[in-house]
Amino acid sequence: MGAAGAAAAGAPAAAHTPGGGWPGPAQPQPGQSTPPGHPTPPDRPSAHESGGYVPLPPAQPPSPEPTGHIPLPPAVAPGTGAATLAVLLIGPAGAGKTTVARHWAATRPVPTAHVSLDDVREWVCSGFADPQAGWNDHSEAQYRLARRTCGFAARNFLANGISCILDDAVFPDRPVVGLGGWKRHVGPALLPVVLLPGLEVVLERNAARSGNRRLSDEEVARIHGRMAGWYGSGLPIIDNSQLDVEGTARALDETLARVIGSPTY
């Protein structure tokens, strides 16, 4: 036997794998640690356990927002929303106080009452102090009585979670009788807003009135001139000369929203 044959005879036979290829790295026997420098072989399921394939991890459920969109909080409509308020709408005859106040109360998303001073004054049937007859002690007494009645109604509405809006021609040069009196009867949280269109507008609107609510042009002009004293008072003023009823009510709501949203409210 030659040297080559002796070497072949003395060398161990190469291991043969069932696939006919060269074997992989030697696997440690049970109870034997992995040689240093060799990675730990992963656990492999047997063909009996896996059916010939390695199971994949379970699929994750689809994301509710596959585009990555981050949902935003619902938009909050501008305005007073669901706040419980007591509002006093001030303005001269013909400014549209009663119409705007009724529309604002009717279109709010929460219960809101409209308390009209003129309506309450006209509850007096016999002996009514007609404003066309001028301002005297008799008309002053009925005015104060009507204001107290309106204030009592407003407080009851507010105590039951119902907002209210009142309207009156309050003069800035009579703070004790006018605005101060309303705050005494309704409460200090009363929010006054002045509605003051131009003189031509109030004259035109007054001319369309009938009955004892229609005043002379001279009286309307005098009242309108006195109302100009509210400028510089710090109260919010809305000039609704170019606004319809719906637009004025919207401007009123936005004005009130700014007032109640201010740090001083």
Side-chain angles (χ1 to χ4, degrees):
M1 181 180 298
H16 180 69
T17 60
W22 292 99
Q27 301 296 319
Q29 298 300 320
Q32 193 177 19
S33 61
T34 303
H38 291 266
T40 302
D43 294 333
R44 296 181 181 178
S46 65
H48 175 71
E49 295 172 341
S50 63
Y53 65 90
V54 178
L56 299 175
Q60 297 296 324
S63 171
E65 296 291 343
T67 61
H69 170 71
I70 300 176
L72 298 176
V76 179
T80 56
T84 302
L85 304 174
V87 181
L88 175 63
L89 194 58
I90 301 171
K97 301 183 302 297
T98 302
T99 305
V100 170
R102 185 180 295 115
H103 184 85
W104 181 79
T107 54
R108 293 197 76 215
V110 292
T112 305
H114 170 222
V115 183
S116 172
L117 176 73
D118 286 342
D119 289 348
V120 173
R121 290 183 66 203
E122 291 175 358
W123 288 355
V124 179
C125 298
S126 176
F128 172 67
D130 193 334
Q132 292 185 350
W135 193 261
N136 50 44
D137 292 341
H138 190 40
S139 56
E140 174 78 17
Q142 289 193 5
Y143 168 77
R144 290 175 178 269
L145 175 61
R147 188 178 60 194
R148 288 196 302 271
T149 305
C150 290
F152 179 78
R155 291 197 309 273
N156 277 325
F157 280 127
L158 294 170
N160 288 275
I162 299 177
S163 297
C164 62
I165 181 169
L166 310 102
D167 61 270
D168 185 22
V170 179
F171 295 113
D173 53 356
R174 302 185 69 189
V176 177
V177 176
L179 185 56
W182 275 113
K183 288 190 173 183
R184 285 195 305 274
H185 295 306
V186 178
L190 182 67
L191 301 174
V193 178
V194 181
L195 202 61
L196 191 56
L199 177 59
E200 297 79 7
V201 174
V202 297
L203 286 172
E204 181 180 352
R205 292 174 180 172
N206 178 70
R209 290 179 167 185
S210 59
N212 57 23
R213 295 196 181 186
R214 179 175 178 175
L215 305 177
S216 66
D217 289 351
E218 293 76 12
E219 183 68 11
V220 171
R222 187 185 66 84
I223 294 174
H224 186 274
R226 292 178 66 183
M227 288 290 172
W230 286 117
Y231 285 106
S233 66
L235 295 186
I237 298 176
I238 300 173
D239 182 352
N240 60 326
S241 300
Q242 305 298 323
L243 299 175
D244 58 9
V245 174
E246 183 177 356
T248 306
R250 184 166 54 251
L252 171 62
D253 198 62
E254 293 171 355
T255 299
L256 291 169
R258 289 194 295 270
V259 172
I260 65 178
S262 65
T264 57
Y265 175 66

